[in-house]
Amino acid sequence: MTPGRRSSTFTRLLRHGFTDPSAAERLLDGPELAPVRDDPVLLEALGATADPDLALHGLVRLLEAQDGPTAHRELLDTLIAAKPLRDRLLGVLGASAALADHLARHPSDWQVLVTYEPRDLHPGIEEFERGLAGAADPVSLRVAYRRCLLSIAARDVCGTTDVAETAAELADLATATLRAALAIAQANAPEDTAACRLAVIAMGKCGGHELNYVSDVDVIFVAEATEATTEAKALTAASRLASHLMRICSETTVEGSIWPVDANLRPEGRNGPLVRTLSSHLVYYQRWAKTWEFQALLKARPVAGDADLGRAYIDALEPMVWKVAERENFVADVQKMRRRVVENIPASEIERELKLGPGGLRDVEFAVQLLQLVHGRTDPALRSGTTLNALQALAAGGYVGREDAARLDEAYRFLRSMEHRIQLHRLRRTHLVPVAEEDQRRLGRSLGLRTDPVAELVREWKRHTGVVRRLHEKLFYRPLLDAVAQLAPGEARLRPEAARERLVALGYADPAAALRHLEALASGVTRKAAIQRTLLPVLLGWFADSADPDAGLLNFRKVSDALGKTPWYLRLLRDEGAAAENLARVLSAGRLAPDLLMRAPEAVALLGDGDGTGGGLAARERGPLEQEILAAVGRAENAEQGVTAARGVRRRELFRTAAADIVGSYGTETSPAEADQGALVDRVGAAVSDLTAATLAGALRAVVRDGWGDMLPTRFAVIGMGRFGGHELGYGSDADVLFVHEPQEGVDEHEAAAAANKVVAEMRRLLQLPSADPPLLIDADLRPEGKSGPLVRTLKSYEAYYRRWSLVWESQALLRAEQVAGDEDLGRRFTGLIDPLRYPAHGLAEDAVREIRRLKARMESERLPRGADPKLHTKLGPGGLSDVEWTVQLFQLRHGWDTPGLRTSRTREALAAAREAGLLSAEEAEILDEAWVLATRVRNAVMLVRGRAGDTFPTEPRELAAVGRYLGYGAGHAGDMLDAYRRTTRRARTVVEELFYGDGT
């Protein structure tokens, strides 16, 4: 070859993907390819293969192996003239060194690739049986098997079949091979054949029509005696036949082995008998089989031997498979088994494991199988042993979102394609991604990745495993699964004839109305109705776990009607964490949360897991909340629109807080002490107080911007008082505040006061305008001179008033004063001004203490509503909120000057500080804290249940029961709740009488 031609050929070889152009040149210049050396068609075809170097080397070996010049020339002529053969043969040679070895040993087998009849494009078991016909021993069976495998691989690498079709063909070839092996075994043992009926049941991937190129073929053997023999002799004969079949397929010959036949999925595994009768199988599965054994039976399929016996085996065991989900802890057991598989992967291999690793094939298969076993009890359409078919059925039935199913399907196909091409290279059983660059290059090119095969392969592989991992976690650990699995068989699908009985049994007061709601929600053939039919049986049980299941179902219908055409709504309930259960709890727990939700049903999205950007039920911090409100105000055209936007955010966040409170309060049916009641109260108080402060800040910004731009003629601050200042607001609390202002430099005091009063008036008006959002009432009655005094004062006016005319009750009220909105510097100076009043030097004089006690006694006698039971009044009753708060506040007034921990606006913090300072015992502090927390929770419960504030327990039985459910008491235990409340507050009153009215403080 001349230097110019050599350089040109070298460049062409590089361009066509050869990694060793020098070696390729030598092969092309060899005698085998001399007749076609300069034909561009051959080089183009080699360059299109997964590994051109491997393909060229295999072609040369095949040509060398031809029997004489005539056969050699025939192969070359056909190769050049017939593109289909060229693509198939070179495609196989470039992807599989093992099949190249086979062709070198059996050089005439290339002819099976010359022409395909239409039926050969997707051959079935019968075609493969014809291909294996005549094989009378393991060696000839192995050769025939490889010849059939060659045709499957050719269709695969050329794209004539997709990965699912290839897997199905491999399973059909395995079926034909098992039949041929059994025929060989039976031919060698006619007496055993006559003594028994033997059926071979394929399991695993072979049974599911999704076999790999190289895999153990899992089987179970079942046998019965013939009329001429006993059961014992039949089992002995069947065992010999089964063992012989396994040896034929598994033994290594000069042609290697076909594949191992694995019978370890049989009852008792490798410790159990190889062959059992059908009745023996049934006894085992009825008495001793574990959950995973029924899961394995999902893919069981009779493939060889006695067809009637195989069918009888499937018919007998299939009903058991679709009942396994009713086992106790079924879902948890399957989940645990999957985790155990991952834990057993060697650390050095876990990142390369295509099958068993996180995000691998097994994650898809386990998720699909779990969904099948749970929902397939009542939906026969899901009962497919093939993963992709089952996934398609799950999506069609609404059990899996279409988008999720499409992504899983795509990822599974890609990962299976990787697995196939890895195994095809050496025909070795492996699921590990190779680490060598040359192997990854060949693998990437075989999958059509040609620009940068290695980088593209790794990127696509990681992308698909990431998708699988995320969706596996979403589907496999879906809470709804466990709930559906726990339903009784007749409950998993709503049938009119049984629905009424179940509704009555669950405690629905109006089953006829409930049935109408169910019919409206679940009737029809739409996808929406299909998903509702999956959700409703579980939701009915969750609604029933409340005091008013009828209201829960009615509210659910209202929300579903409002959001029925919203694509994410039902998907959220089906897929997202505990969203469905959370919604059921919220809708059946009372009026407040459903009313808030009905005004903006899209807030149901908050009941999902959240994404860290404001979703979910986790309480939001004051800063981000205020930023959102101020941004919404900034986008508004005027003050009214700005305050409307702020109130909309407040409504949504009130729903978030109420929903989180309800969800957090459930799950303590038997003992209220099981939950951290104080933490629940603190969370609600802080959330509602922060929300109120942020809303006031937004309203203030909206009014000032609309009336004065950003230049209000006076500095302005809002001071929170009472429960607001103490971060202890409940759902029905007003916002107790003081307004303080200070004229800007050079501004007339009258002008400043007029502006400040206009701001206050407009804020109060806009926050109470009738709308879909709950109003925010501003109460300024704790200001100097009460209702008779001006709404707004300057800082100097406050200073003058408190210096001259302040009464002891005002000092007590100021204990909870805290700046909540407006000018922060002005707010700090105000709290600095009042500190000497609320933490008087050297404490209170005795006459001041007596005045406080007198005021407390007067309030108890005058303010308690007529007809109210004092022992059940949460605010003014003995041991209630007032008792605890006045006791704590007396500690603060008397000792705040020398005990810094008492200088807080929060009741529980001050109580803890008093205990730390030794002002009361740990037991006394615990008693007071328990009573305060319980009374606060009762008030919150009343608001949640009735939708309006109240200080006493409801008298209507369902409402009282709902309050009890919120507090952790199950059905029929409302009396226990009231007794516990009286007991708790009675103990607190005893402590109050000692500490407040005695000498304890």
Side-chain angles (χ1 to χ4, degrees), residues 354-682:
L354 271 178
K355 179 180 179 181
L356 303 178
L361 294 163
R362 189 57 61 85
D363 272 354
V364 180
E365 292 162 355
F366 262 57
V368 169
Q369 289 166 20
L370 181 56
L371 289 166
Q372 283 183 278
L373 290 170
V374 169
H375 299 296
R377 296 179 298 164
T378 55
D379 191 347
L382 306 181
R383 299 177 183 180
S384 170
T386 305
T387 300
L388 291 179
N389 292 348
L391 180 59
Q392 184 180 12
L394 286 165
Y399 305 98
V400 175
R402 290 192 187 94
E403 185 177 344
D404 288 347
R407 288 179 178 176
L408 274 182
D409 183 284
E410 179 189 13
Y412 188 75
R413 289 176 185 272
F414 183 85
L415 297 175
R416 283 302 304 273
S417 296
M418 282 185 69
E419 181 186 48
H420 276 191
R421 301 301 165 79
I422 291 169
Q423 293 182 349
L424 182 60
H425 180 225
R426 294 290 183 188
L427 287 182
R428 291 176 182 167
R429 184 174 181 268
T430 179
H431 311 287
L432 295 177
V433 178
V435 294
E437 183 176 346
E438 62 187 73
D439 291 329
Q440 291 189 358
R441 181 176 182 273
R442 181 186 61 257
L443 180 57
R445 284 174 60 89
S446 77
L447 297 171
L449 308 173
R450 298 301 174 91
T451 305
D452 186 353
V454 174
E456 291 178 70
L457 172 70
V458 173
R459 182 170 60 249
E460 287 298 292
W461 169 35
K462 296 301 182 183
R463 179 174 73 86
H464 285 299
T465 56
V467 167
V468 170
R469 192 167 191 171
R470 178 178 63 81
L471 293 178
H472 170 78
E473 294 290 327
K474 175 180 176 180
L475 299 175
F476 197 62
Y477 295 100
R478 182 190 289 170
L480 191 64
L481 272 177
D482 198 30
V484 173
Q486 292 175 23
L487 292 173
E491 298 175 341
R493 270 290 184 268
L494 295 167
R495 296 182 177 86
E497 62 273 15
R500 178 183 292 272
E501 293 180 11
R502 184 174 182 232
L503 291 168
V504 172
L506 287 173
Y508 286 79
D510 189 351
L515 280 172
R516 289 194 296 273
H517 299 323
L518 297 179
E519 177 69 19
L521 290 164
S523 62
V525 295
T526 64
R527 184 175 180 81
K528 171 186 168 184
I531 297 175
Q532 289 281 24
R533 286 192 290 271
T534 301
L535 292 169
L536 281 167
V538 179
L539 290 171
L540 287 176
W542 283 330
F543 292 144
D545 186 26
S546 73
D548 196 349
D550 298 80
L553 180 56
L554 173 60
N555 289 331
F556 179 70
R557 180 180 175 183
K558 290 179 179 177
V559 173
S560 295
D561 288 345
L563 295 175
K565 295 182 179 179
T566 307
W568 55 262
Y569 167 60
L570 290 177
R571 185 168 66 241
L572 170 83
L573 300 186
R574 181 192 59 202
D575 297 342
E576 182 113 359
E581 182 173 4
N582 289 347
L583 179 61
R585 302 302 188 195
V586 167
L587 293 180
S588 57
R591 296 180 182 175
L592 178 65
D595 285 350
L596 292 169
L597 183 58
M598 298 307 172
R599 295 173 182 180
E602 65 276 5
V604 75
L606 299 176
L607 299 171
D609 295 330
D611 57 4
T613 59
L617 296 180
R620 298 181 64 192
E621 295 183 357
R622 162 79 182 273
L625 192 56
E626 187 167 316
Q627 288 176 6
E628 180 187 358
I629 288 178
L630 294 179
V633 168
R635 294 189 294 269
E637 295 182 1
N638 53 50
E640 184 170 335
Q641 290 183 8
V643 174
T644 297
R647 291 175 66 182
V649 175
R650 177 172 179 262
R651 178 200 61 235
R652 183 196 69 210
E653 295 303 318
L654 275 176
F655 173 75
R656 187 200 304 269
T657 302
D661 189 15
I662 291 166
V663 170
S665 297
Y666 273 63
T668 56
E669 291 184 32
T670 56
S671 173
E674 292 176 14
D676 186 347
Q677 308 282 331
L680 293 172
V681 163
D682 290 344

Side-chain angles (χ1 to χ4, degrees), residues 174-457:
T175 296
T177 305
L178 287 169
R179 292 178 182 179
L182 181 58
I184 293 172
Q186 289 173 330
N188 289 322
E191 292 183 359
D192 287 341
T193 304
C196 67
R197 298 166 59 204
L198 176 64
V200 183
I201 310 298
M203 306 286 285
K205 290 188 177 300
C206 183
H209 271 104
E210 49 190 17
L211 198 61
N212 299 329
Y213 274 104
V214 185
S215 176
D216 293 353
V217 172
D218 297 305
V219 299
I220 284 177
F221 297 106
V222 56
E224 294 291 343
T226 61
E227 294 181 0
T229 189
T230 64
E231 182 178 297
K233 288 183 179 180
L235 288 174
T236 301
S239 295
R240 284 196 291 262
L241 290 173
S243 297
H244 194 184
L245 178 153
M246 295 174 70
R247 286 196 303 274
I248 291 170
C249 295
S250 306
E251 282 181 349
T252 301
T253 69
V254 291
E255 293 289 337
S257 64
I258 300 176
W259 20 248
V261 176
D262 188 343
N264 288 337
L265 290 179
R266 67 185 184 270
E268 300 180 78
R270 64 186 62 191
N271 297 318
L274 180 62
V275 183
R276 289 176 181 259
T277 63
L278 177 55
S279 60
S280 176
H281 277 284
L282 288 174
V283 168
Y284 175 83
Y285 283 107
Q286 288 167 346
R287 296 183 181 178
W288 298 295
K290 297 183 175 65
T291 296
W292 70 265
E293 293 179 277
F294 291 102
Q295 185 178 353
L297 285 170
L298 262 176
K299 297 182 180 293
R301 178 172 63 94
V303 291
D306 191 299
D308 291 336
L309 180 57
R311 187 68 256 165
Y313 176 89
I314 298 300
D315 291 343
L317 289 177
E318 190 174 43
M320 298 186 198
V321 173
W322 301 112
K323 290 181 180 178
V324 68
E326 296 159 19
R327 286 186 164 200
E328 187 176 359
N329 299 320
F330 161 74
V331 172
D333 286 346
V334 177
Q335 293 168 343
K336 188 185 302 181
M337 182 168 59
R338 174 62 189 133
R339 289 193 294 268
R340 191 160 53 242
V341 169
V342 175
E343 290 165 0
N344 289 332
I345 302 173
S348 60
E349 297 180 357
I350 192 167
E351 293 300 323
R352 298 166 53 214
E353 250 289 355
L354 271 178
K355 179 180 179 181
L356 303 178
L361 294 163
R362 189 57 61 85
D363 272 354
V364 180
E365 292 162 355
F366 262 57
V368 169
Q369 289 166 20
L370 181 56
L371 289 166
Q372 283 183 278
L373 290 170
V374 169
H375 299 296
R377 296 179 298 164
T378 55
D379 191 347
L382 306 181
R383 299 177 183 180
S384 170
T386 305
T387 300
L388 291 179
N389 292 348
L391 180 59
Q392 184 180 12
L394 286 165
Y399 305 98
V400 175
R402 290 192 187 94
E403 185 177 344
D404 288 347
R407 288 179 178 176
L408 274 182
D409 183 284
E410 179 189 13
Y412 188 75
R413 289 176 185 272
F414 183 85
L415 297 175
R416 283 302 304 273
S417 296
M418 282 185 69
E419 181 186 48
H420 276 191
R421 301 301 165 79
I422 291 169
Q423 293 182 349
L424 182 60
H425 180 225
R426 294 290 183 188
L427 287 182
R428 291 176 182 167
R429 184 174 181 268
T430 179
H431 311 287
L432 295 177
V433 178
V435 294
E437 183 176 346
E438 62 187 73
D439 291 329
Q440 291 189 358
R441 181 176 182 273
R442 181 186 61 257
L443 180 57
R445 284 174 60 89
S446 77
L447 297 171
L449 308 173
R450 298 301 174 91
T451 305
D452 186 353
V454 174
E456 291 178 70
L457 172 70

Side-chain angles (χ1 to χ4, degrees), residues 914-928:
R915 183 197 63 215
E916 290 294 324
L919 300 177
L920 76 168
S921 68
E923 181 183 5
E924 290 171 328
E926 182 180 350
I927 290 171
L928 293 182

Side-chain angles (χ1 to χ4, degrees), residues 81-216:
K83 184 179 187 304
L85 170 70
R86 186 167 61 246
D87 291 342
R88 296 166 192 154
L89 179 58
L90 296 183
V92 169
L93 293 175
S96 178
L99 289 177
D101 291 342
H102 172 83
L103 284 168
R105 288 194 303 271
H106 304 280
S108 64
D109 277 3
W110 66 269
Q111 296 184 44
V112 303
L113 305 179
V114 174
T115 58
Y116 287 153
E117 297 296 331
R119 62 179 174 80
D120 293 326
L121 292 178
H122 301 291
I125 296 172
E126 293 75 14
E127 285 80 7
F128 287 126
E129 285 186 301
R130 282 193 287 272
L132 300 177
D137 57 66
V139 174
S140 59
L141 182 60
R142 173 65 166 170
V143 173
Y145 173 81
R146 281 290 177 94
R147 190 181 302 118
C148 293
L149 194 65
L150 178 65
S151 67
I152 293 176
R155 287 188 289 276
D156 179 15
V157 298
C158 291
T160 305
T161 54
D162 65 19
V163 65
E165 292 168 331
T166 299
E169 289 185 10
L170 289 167
D172 285 343
L173 175 57
T175 296
T177 305
L178 287 169
R179 292 178 182 179
L182 181 58
I184 293 172
Q186 289 173 330
N188 289 322
E191 292 183 359
D192 287 341
T193 304
C196 67
R197 298 166 59 204
L198 176 64
V200 183
I201 310 298
M203 306 286 285
K205 290 188 177 300
C206 183
H209 271 104
E210 49 190 17
L211 198 61
N212 299 329
Y213 274 104
V214 185
S215 176
D216 293 353

